[in-house]
Every structure is written in structure tokens, then in C-alpha cells.
């Protein structure tokens, strides 16, 4: 187990904006940072990070928390894994207490698969660099490709011995279970019970997650065996999903975010060669057709993607068909092609670094222009092919949500294809009409389901729950200002020398948490929402026992349900706060400047609401029971109405009924 001292060091040093910035492109929004949700597919950013409070909130998925919870949600780390990841990031030495056998047995299946994969990475790497076979075959191959020792170590390249079960025997001998060797696909068990290594005799490319964990492997055969696949990937597993992974994303993520652009290539060696040439914002789809999940990985870091095509015309046509998905995701797409016979790997290998960067800058074309030229060259003078090409082109333009971009692309296509803009607009309208018809059909079906639910009272319009909102405000105040000391003013009625009642005002310093607790106790008010009640009691106890309060440390001690609710409250307060009014020459008092007033107003409003609730309940009891004496009840109602006027006076404004 990780020691308490290590955990405290991690919480003290780790910065939530730095941790999340490794995975999500964040931009300044007032005192906060905003970005696209890493949990759902969205085009408008709803993911907020508060550097001041050291918390984050994703308003699309409802998730929230601190740096640790982000890693647990995004990378599916366990709590200890998240702590170790941050310790490594911030160069903190991890001190561990001795684990019991029972605790060791609790390691989950995914973690066991990760451990097996990491052992395999180290084994293949050591075989490449420290064995005669590895040096003679694997290392020679990488050197021929032009990879330096530094590059080989950076990408953790390796070699699997050309022996049926060398790796499997070594792993089993080190205590790794056959179950996980099979589940990761590293070992294959024959029907007769014998074992053999999936990647026998191949050079190895570890495939990393965005956080750097080994998910699987790609292996390239070095012999001329025509029956064997040139490249072999790990099979799908609980930790490796090929359609959701981009090779090189771990090494490229920071540069992609910094340069606000991502180069997309096809293979492992394309990525590695580009890195060696000083271009690090590059990833590969690993030979698969691009998928929405892969695009979403990049969209968290940048809105711009540049696709690098081989010079081969057939390869370009195949790749172009999948890139409409990028346009559909709302991203900007550009294209670079290489001379015929070259791919990104070979071109980078023979081109000096500065020349490669210059080539990319000078040969980057807008994807729409590139595609229009490509398909029109193929159609040439064939009218049927030209008509198909135009429709294909307009289909791509229809994927673009931005109307201004669409109009510009229509004008450009009109010029390239030598066809009127009117025809292109009409074709676009036909496509849009078809999509609209399908959308309306789907909407009608959903509406029927909705009507059935509504008619059966399953769905009802949501009403604003005033008490819920006020109780939430009390929790917000305790979280933000609970340990602050403020001057609170109280008004009393006292007799003067003549025996008349006069107002007397007294100001005393209170800790905000203490003031709230005493006031609610005095009125015998309890929070009604179960989650709020739990948080309230916990926070009051926390503030009474401790002089200092850290939201980040507090979040690490509570349940997931409570943590989600707390981050929702705090980030809603951030999202709804006023920013940059000074530029408009409007002076607005911030809550921090009037905390005592804010506390008093919240509690008085809650009192006012509860008194009116009593009045309404009393009125209902009178109207529903004609046998009781109404005189006492009416007097009680009159007294309560008088109390609401006093509360309104203390608030300094007229309150309308909720």
C-alpha cells in the first residue's frame, strides 16, 4: 500500500490544470479553463477546470472531481494507480507499506493485464538490446530504417525471439499467470496444451494509451514468409481496442496541443521517423480506417488535423473515403501528399529536418480543394463519372456544420469543377432535405414514445425546487467560505428607559460555518435533501475540528456520489459567475467582498420560504377540514404573515411569492 505521506505529497504538488492539460486542450475562460469533454462527443466546450479550487466539472456527462478522480474516470485507473501516475509525473518517490496476501489478491483483472503487457515490453526491449539474436536481427533492422538509439529507447522498441515459446516460458517463470498472457494475446494455447508466442520472430512496437500505459503491441515480421502477415497486432481485449487507439498519441499529445495541429499518418515507422526529424505532433491509425473514437482522441487536443498521404494514387483514394468523418466532427482538415513512390517514412528519412518542415508548410492544401482536384482528374471527360464526382464532393461539404465554410467550399468547387454554384447548392439542398426527412422520421418516432410516457404520467414538466436550490447554496457557502471569519450584524428589540421597544444592532465576528450552524440550530431547520444533509453534517464537523479546509483534500475523503455533487455545486457557481464587467464600466460586488451579507440573505430567504410553506400547509388543512375551529389557525397564519414582513424588511427588499 502507498504510504499516507506519499499521498499527501501528491495532493500538495499535483496541479489539476497540468494533469488534465495532458489529455484535454484547455483554453482560458475568465479565472477558469475550458475544453471539449473527454467523456462524450461534443462540439461546444462544456468541460471546466478551476485552477483556484483545483477541481474540474464536465457538464455534458455530469462527472467531476479533482486530479485523482479525473485519472480514475478518464484512464480507468484505480486510486493507487492514479497516485503512482502523479508521483511519476512530479518526480515524487513512492513509499509503500507491506501489502498483505489478501490485498494482493484484490488486484483486478485489467491491472493484471497491464502488468503482463508492461513485462512484455521490458522483455522485448531487453531482447533487442542485450541478446545476440536481438542485436543481429531486430537492432540491425531498426538501424537500417535509420532509427537512432535515442529513438529506439524513446518508443521502447523491441524484438521477440524466433522461438516458439521463449517469451511465454520467461513470463510464466517470473510468476505471471497464463490466464492473462492469453487474454492479452501474447501467448496462444494450442489444443494439445502446448504454448506458442504470438509475435515469434518479429520486431515489436508497443502501443501506448494517452497516459503512457502499454495497451498492446504491433509486430513486424522480418522474413519473406508470404503466408505470414507483414504486420500483426494484439487482439481486442479489455485493455486494447484498436478502433479507440492512435499510435504515438502518448508521445505527441503535448506538441499537438501546443502547435494546435495533428499530423495523421498510416504506420508505426511513419510516426517514429517524423519524431526523429523533429516533428512530434504526429499519430498513426495503425493501418485501420479512421474511426470516430480516434478522431475524438485528437479533438480533445486540437481542432486541426493534417492528413499525410502516400504518393500512391490508389492509397490516396482509399484514405480520402474515411476523412469525411473528420469533417463531420467539426474539425478543420488539410492534406499533404508526397512524391509518387514516397511515404512519410521514406520521405522524412531522406530529407533534412528543416527541408521537411518547409515541404509540409508549402504543400499543405485544404482537404476540400485536394479532394475536388483528385476526383475531377479521375473523372476527366466522362460525364457520368463527373456527375458522381460532383455528388461525392457535395456529400463531403454537407458534413461541414459551419455555413460560412460551406459557402466558401461551394464557390471553390464551382471553380475547380467548372459547374455553376446554383447546381451545387441545389444538390446540397437535396442531400440536406433527405437528411432532414430522415431526422424528422426519427423525431416523429421518438415523439410517439414521449407522448405515451407523458400520457401515462411517466414524464412530467420539471418544477423548480426552491428549497433544493437554497440548501445547495448553503453547501456552496460552506465549501467556499466556511472557514472565513466575517463580521455579522444582528438586530434585537430591547426596552429603553421609558419601556418602549427599540431596535438595537450588534456586530460580532463569526466563522461562516459556525454562523450557519448556530442560525439553523436556532430555527430548528434541517436540510431535507439526503445528499445535502450528509455533506452539511460532514462539513460542519470538519470545520469545527479543523482550522484549515482544503477542497481537494476533502474531495479525496468522500464517496463518488458526494464528490460529484460537490464539484457540480462549485463549478456551477464558477460557470454562472460574472466576468470582465469592469471592461464595460459596470462595478459589480463579488461574493468574496460581501460574504456576511450573502450568508444572511441565503438563510433569511430559506426562512421566508419555509414560513410560507407552513402558511400554505395550514391553509390547506383549514380548507380540507370544516369541523375544526378556524379562529386559532387564522390567528397563527396572521402571525406567520407578520413574520414574513419582518424577514423581508431584514432582507431589505420586497419578496414575491415563489
Amino acid at each position: 500500500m502507498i504510504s499516507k505521506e506519499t499521498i499527501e505529497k501528491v495532493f500538495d504538488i499535483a496541479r489539476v490544470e497540468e494533469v488534465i492539460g495532458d489529455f484535454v486542450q484547455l483554453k482560458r475562460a475568465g479565472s477558469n479553463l475550458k475544453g471539449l469533454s473527454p467523456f462524450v462527443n461534443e462540439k461546444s466546450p462544456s468541460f471546466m477546470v478551476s485552477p483556484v479550487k483545483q477541481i474540474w466539472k464536465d457538464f455534458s456527462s455530469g462527472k467531476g472531481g479533482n486530479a485523482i478522480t479525473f485519472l480514475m474516470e478518464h484512464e480507468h485507473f484505480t486510486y493507487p494507480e492514479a497516485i503512482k501516475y502523479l508521483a511519476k509525473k512530479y518526480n515524487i518517490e513512492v513509499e509503500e507499506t507491506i501489502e498483505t496476501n489478501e490485498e494482493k489478491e484484490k488486484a483486478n483483472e485489467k491491472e493484471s493485464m497491464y502488468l503482463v503487457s508492461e513485462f512484455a515490453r521490458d522483455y522485448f526491449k531487453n531482447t533487442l538490446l542485450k541478446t545476440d539474436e536481438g542485436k543481429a536481427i531486430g537492432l540491425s533492422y531498426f538501424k537500417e530504417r535509420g532509427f537512432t538509439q535515442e529513438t529506439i529507447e524513446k518508443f521502447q522498441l523491441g524484438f521477440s525471439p524466433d522461438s516458439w515459446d521463449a517469451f511465454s516460458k520467461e513470463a510464466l517463470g517470473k510468476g505471471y499467470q497464463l490466464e492473462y498472457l492469453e487474454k492479452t494475446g501474447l501467448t496462444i494455447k494450442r489444443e494439445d496444451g502446448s504454448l506458442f508466442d504470438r509475435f515469434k520472430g518479429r520486431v515489436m512496437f508497443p502501443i501506448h494509451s494517452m497516459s503512457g500505459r502499454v495497451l498492446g503491441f504491433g509486430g513486424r515480421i522480418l522474413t519473406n514468409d508470404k503466408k505470414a502477415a507483414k504486420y500483426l497486432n494484439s487482439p481486442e481485449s479489455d485493455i486494447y481496442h484498436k478502433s479507440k487507439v492512435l499510435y504515438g498519441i502518448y508521445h505527441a499529445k503535448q506538441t499537438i496541443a501546443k502547435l494546435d495541429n495533428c499530423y495523421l499518418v498510416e504506420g508505426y515507422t511513419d510516426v517514429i521517423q517524423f519524431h526523429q526529424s523533429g516533428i512530434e505532433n504526429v499519430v498513426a491509425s495503425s493501418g485501420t480506417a479512421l474511426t470516430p473514437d480516434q478522431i475524438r482522441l485528437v479533438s480533445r487536443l486540437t481542432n486541426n488535423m493534417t492528413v499525410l498521404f502516400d504518393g500512391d494514387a490508389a492509397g490516396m483514394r482509399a484514405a480520402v473515403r474515411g476523412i469525411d468523418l473528420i469533417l463531420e466532427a467539426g474539425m478543420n482538415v488539410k492534406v499533404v501528399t508526397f512524391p509518387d513512390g514516397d511515404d512519410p517514412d521514406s520521405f522524412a528519412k531522406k530529407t533534412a529536418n528543416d527541408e521537411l518542415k518547409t515541404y509540409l508548410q508549402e504543400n499543405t492544401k485544404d482537404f476540400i480543394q485536394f479532394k475536388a482536384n483528385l476526383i475531377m482528374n479521375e473523372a476527366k471527360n466522362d460525364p457520368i463519372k463527373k456527375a458522381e464526382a460532383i455528388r461525392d464532393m457535395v456529400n463531403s461539404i454537407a458534413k461541414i456544420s459551419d455555413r460560412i465554410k460551406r459557402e466558401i467550399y461551394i464557390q471553390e468547387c464551382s471553380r475547380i469543377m467548372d459547374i455553376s454554384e446554383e447546381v451545387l447548392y441545389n444538390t446540397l439542398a437535396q442531400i440536406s432535405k433527405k437528411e432532414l426527412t430522415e431526422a424528422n422520421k426519427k423525431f416523429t418516432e421518438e415523439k410517439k414514445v414521449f407522448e405515451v410516457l407523458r400520457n401515462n404520467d411517466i414524464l412530467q414538466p420539471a418544477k423548480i425546487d426552491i428549497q433544493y436550490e437554497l440548501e445547495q447554496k448553503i453547501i456552496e457557502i460552506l465549501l467556499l467560505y466556511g472557514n472565513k471569519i466575517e463580521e455579522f450584524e444582528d438586530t434585537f428589540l430591547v426596552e429603553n428607559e421609558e419601556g418602549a421597544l427599540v431596535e438595537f444592532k450588534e456586530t460580532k465576528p463569526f466563522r461562516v460555518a459556525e454562523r450557519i450552524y448556530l442560525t439553523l440550530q436556532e430555527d430548528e431547520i434541517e436540510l431535507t435533501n439526503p445528499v445535502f444533509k450528509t455533506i452539511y453534517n460532514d462539513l460542519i464537523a470538519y470545520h469545527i475540528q479543523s482550522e484549515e479546509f482544503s477542497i481537494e483534500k476533502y474531495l479525496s475523503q468522500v464517496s463518488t456520489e458526494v464528490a460529484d455533487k460537490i464539484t457540480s455545486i462549485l463549478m456551477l457557481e464558477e460557470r454562472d459567475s460574472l466576468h470582465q464587467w469592469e471592461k464595460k464600466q459596470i462595478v459589480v460586488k463579488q461574493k468574496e467582498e460581501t460574504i456576511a451579507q450573502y450568508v444572511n440573505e441565503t438563510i433569511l430567504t430559506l426562512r421566508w420560504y419555509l414560513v410560507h410553506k407552513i402558511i400554505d400547509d395550514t391553509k390547506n388543512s383549514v380548507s380540507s377540514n370544516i369541523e375544526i375551529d378556524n379562529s386559532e389557525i387564522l390567528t397563527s397564519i396572521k402571525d406567520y404573515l407578520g413574520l414574513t414582513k419582518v424577514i423581508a424588511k431584514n432582507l431589505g427588499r420586497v419578496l414575491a411569492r415563489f
Side-chain angles (χ1 to χ4, degrees):
M1 291 176 66
I2 302 170
S3 70
K4 185 180 178 182
E5 289 74 18
T6 299
I7 293 171
E8 287 179 352
K9 280 182 187 176
V10 167
F11 273 103
D12 287 340
I13 296 174
R15 301 288 303 170
V16 69
E17 66 272 23
E18 293 172 354
V19 175
I20 294 176
D22 288 343
F23 303 91
V24 181
Q25 185 185 25
L26 299 172
K27 293 183 179 178
R28 181 64 59 181
S31 62
N32 297 320
L33 299 165
K34 290 185 79 172
L36 292 173
S37 168
F39 302 107
V40 299
N41 195 10
E42 64 178 13
K43 294 178 182 177
S44 298
S46 68
F47 184 86
M48 289 183 68
V49 177
S50 171
V52 176
K53 299 187 178 89
Q54 285 297 292
I55 58 172
W56 60 277
K57 181 66 185 177
D58 178 21
F59 290 98
S60 293
S61 67
K63 300 176 189 292
N66 54 21
I68 299 290
T69 54
F70 177 82
L71 292 171
M72 291 173 73
E73 290 283 358
H74 189 268
E75 293 301 300
H76 305 291
F77 285 170
T78 61
Y79 184 83
E81 287 172 355
I83 293 291
K84 287 179 180 178
Y85 172 86
L86 291 177
K88 183 179 179 182
K89 178 178 174 67
Y90 289 97
N91 296 316
I92 299 169
E93 186 178 348
V94 177
E95 297 176 0
E96 296 194 55
T97 57
I98 298 172
E99 286 185 319
T100 64
N101 290 332
E102 186 180 352
E103 286 166 337
K104 288 179 181 177
E105 288 171 6
K106 286 184 179 177
N108 62 34
E109 190 169 293
K110 276 189 178 180
E111 179 59 19
S112 298
M113 293 173 73
Y114 280 126
L115 292 174
V116 164
S117 298
E118 284 159 11
F119 167 77
R121 172 202 60 199
D122 294 339
Y123 173 82
F124 296 140
K125 186 170 64 173
N126 288 332
T127 302
L128 176 76
L129 301 174
K130 296 179 181 179
T131 68
D132 292 339
E133 182 186 11
K135 291 175 184 177
I137 302 173
L139 196 58
S140 295
Y141 169 76
F142 287 133
K143 295 289 185 183
E144 285 172 14
R145 300 301 299 241
F147 298 161
T148 64
Q149 189 72 24
E150 183 184 357
T151 297
I152 290 167
E153 290 178 2
K154 178 180 179 179
F155 285 90
Q156 301 173 340
L157 305 180
F159 178 72
S160 180
D162 194 10
S163 170
W164 285 111
D165 58 0
F167 164 74
S168 299
K169 278 183 178 178
E170 182 72 14
L172 292 170
K174 293 290 185 183
Y176 292 94
Q177 295 180 32
L178 178 59
E179 176 188 359
Y180 301 116
L181 292 171
E182 287 187 275
K183 284 185 175 178
T184 53
L186 290 160
T187 298
I188 298 173
K189 189 175 182 180
R190 296 187 179 96
E191 290 183 6
D192 63 4
S194 61
L195 307 176
F196 72 92
D197 299 339
R198 176 180 293 272
F199 295 106
K200 166 184 172 293
R202 293 175 182 265
V203 287
M204 302 299 292
F205 300 85
I207 300 167
H208 300 88
S209 71
M210 196 177 270
S211 67
R213 300 212 81 177
V214 179
L215 304 174
F217 295 88
R220 188 195 193 282
I221 199 167
L222 300 181
T223 63
N224 293 321
D225 185 353
K226 294 181 180 180
K227 294 181 181 179
K230 183 178 178 181
Y231 277 96
L232 186 65
N233 274 53
S234 292
E236 292 282 311
S237 71
D238 286 345
I239 63 171
Y240 178 63
H241 303 281
K242 193 173 184 180
S243 65
K244 297 181 179 181
V245 176
L246 285 167
Y247 181 75
I249 191 75
Y250 170 64
H251 297 97
K253 61 186 178 184
Q254 291 182 336
T255 313
I256 291 171
K258 182 180 177 181
L259 300 180
D260 197 19
N261 182 45
C262 176
Y263 288 114
L264 177 70
V265 294
E266 187 177 353
Y268 306 125
T269 56
D270 297 327
V271 170
I272 297 170
Q273 200 69 255
F274 260 61
H275 266 263
Q276 193 165 281
S277 297
I279 298 170
E280 297 185 344
N281 53 326
V282 56
V283 298
S285 57
S286 303
T288 65
L290 202 61
T291 68
D293 284 322
Q294 290 173 329
I295 294 168
R296 192 157 68 88
L297 269 181
V298 175
S299 70
R300 296 175 194 168
L301 303 168
T302 180
N303 200 41
N304 303 298
M305 191 177 289
T306 303
V307 184
L308 307 184
F309 287 112
D310 297 355
D312 173 61
M316 282 193 285
R317 281 195 301 273
V320 162
R321 285 193 288 269
I323 299 181
D324 282 355
L325 287 171
I326 306 175
L327 294 172
E328 202 166 359
M331 296 182 72
N332 303 313
V333 190
K334 294 187 181 297
V335 172
V336 174
T337 57
F338 295 98
D340 197 11
D342 270 322
D343 57 26
D345 176 13
S346 63
F347 190 79
K349 184 180 177 182
K350 68 183 183 183
T351 308
N353 295 4
D354 291 341
E355 290 178 23
L356 176 60
K357 290 177 182 177
T358 301
Y359 181 88
L360 293 175
Q361 290 170 1
E362 293 178 351
N363 289 273
T364 297
K365 298 177 183 175
D366 186 275
F367 170 69
I368 294 292
Q369 295 171 330
F370 167 77
K371 183 174 179 178
N373 281 315
L374 179 68
I375 59 179
M376 287 307 292
N377 285 337
E378 289 178 352
K380 293 183 179 177
N381 297 320
D382 188 325
I384 295 175
K385 284 186 177 180
K386 186 174 181 179
E388 289 173 353
I390 291 169
R391 181 163 289 277
D392 185 9
M393 197 66 244
V394 178
N395 266 318
S396 289
I397 296 174
K399 305 291 183 186
I400 301 168
S401 56
D402 189 300
R403 293 183 65 182
I404 295 174
K405 285 183 184 176
R406 271 204 268 181
E407 185 155 344
I408 291 169
Y409 286 136
I410 287 288
Q411 292 169 0
E412 189 64 20
C413 287
S414 171
R415 182 186 64 79
I416 295 170
M417 296 176 165
D418 192 24
I419 191 168
S420 71
E421 289 181 24
E422 185 181 358
V423 171
L424 295 176
Y425 276 119
N426 288 339
T427 308
L428 182 62
Q430 289 173 6
I431 293 169
S432 299
K433 186 178 179 181
K434 183 181 178 183
E435 290 176 350
L436 183 62
T437 302
E438 290 174 356
N440 282 336
K441 184 180 177 182
K442 186 177 179 181
F443 173 75
T444 303
E445 291 171 355
E446 290 175 351
K447 189 178 177 183
K448 286 178 182 177
V449 175
F450 177 84
E451 291 295 335
V452 171
L453 293 172
R454 190 171 68 176
N455 292 336
N456 286 284
D457 294 329
I458 296 171
L459 289 178
Q460 289 296 333
K463 294 180 180 178
I464 296 174
D465 188 335
I466 302 299
Q467 189 164 355
Y468 178 94
E469 298 294 331
L470 291 169
E471 289 182 4
Q472 181 169 278
K473 279 291 175 196
I474 289 170
I475 300 300
E476 176 197 309
I477 292 167
L478 286 171
L479 288 165
L480 295 175
Y481 317 116
N483 64 339
K484 288 184 177 290
I485 296 175
E486 295 290 321
E487 295 286 333
F488 288 90
E489 184 180 83
D490 287 309
T491 303
F492 305 97
L493 290 174
V494 297
E495 279 190 15
N496 61 14
E497 293 177 356
E498 289 78 26
L501 292 175
V502 293
E503 281 190 357
F504 172 74
K505 293 185 178 181
E506 181 182 51
T507 302
K508 283 185 180 180
F510 286 94
R511 285 180 77 191
V512 171
E514 184 184 0
R515 175 71 176 191
I516 290 173
Y517 175 72
L518 292 173
T519 307
L520 296 187
Q521 281 287 99
E522 181 185 338
D523 291 339
E524 297 182 356
I525 295 173
E526 284 192 356
L527 274 59
T528 56
N529 181 279
V531 178
F532 290 158
K533 189 174 181 179
T534 299
I535 298 172
Y536 172 80
N537 291 333
D538 200 18
L539 284 172
I540 292 295
Y542 196 107
H543 281 298
I544 289 171
Q545 294 169 16
S546 176
E547 294 263 335
E548 294 183 5
F549 177 73
S550 163
I551 288 174
E552 189 177 6
K553 286 184 179 177
Y554 176 68
L555 283 173
S556 70
Q557 301 171 18
V558 299
S559 67
T560 304
E561 181 188 16
V562 171
D564 284 347
K565 180 59 71 176
I566 288 171
T567 51
S568 294
I569 292 169
L570 292 175
M571 294 308 285
L572 279 169
E573 190 270 340
E574 287 280 353
R575 188 180 69 174
D576 298 337
S577 62
L578 300 171
H579 294 295
Q580 299 178 332
W581 283 99
E582 294 82 358
K583 291 183 180 178
K584 302 176 184 179
Q585 297 183 337
I586 300 173
V587 180
V588 179
K589 277 191 177 181
Q590 297 299 314
K591 290 175 187 174
E592 291 84 350
E593 300 170 13
T594 55
I595 294 170
Q597 180 185 337
Y598 185 46
V599 172
N600 281 338
E601 285 188 357
T602 302
I603 293 175
L604 283 170
T605 306
L606 179 59
R607 278 178 177 169
W608 191 93
Y609 172 78
L610 293 174
V611 170
H612 265 292
K613 193 175 179 185
I614 293 170
I615 292 170
D616 289 340
D617 290 343
T618 308
K619 284 179 180 177
N620 290 334
S621 69
V622 171
S623 60
S624 63
N625 195 338
I626 59 173
E627 296 179 1
I628 63 172
D629 181 8
N630 292 340
S631 58
E632 287 186 16
I633 294 174
L634 292 173
T635 302
S636 177
I637 290 173
K638 188 177 179 181
D639 291 340
Y640 279 126
L641 287 170
L643 182 56
T644 62
K645 290 179 182 178
V646 173
I647 295 171
K649 183 181 177 183
N650 288 335
L651 277 166
R653 63 175 186 263
V654 177
L655 287 178
R657 289 299 305 276
F658 290 104

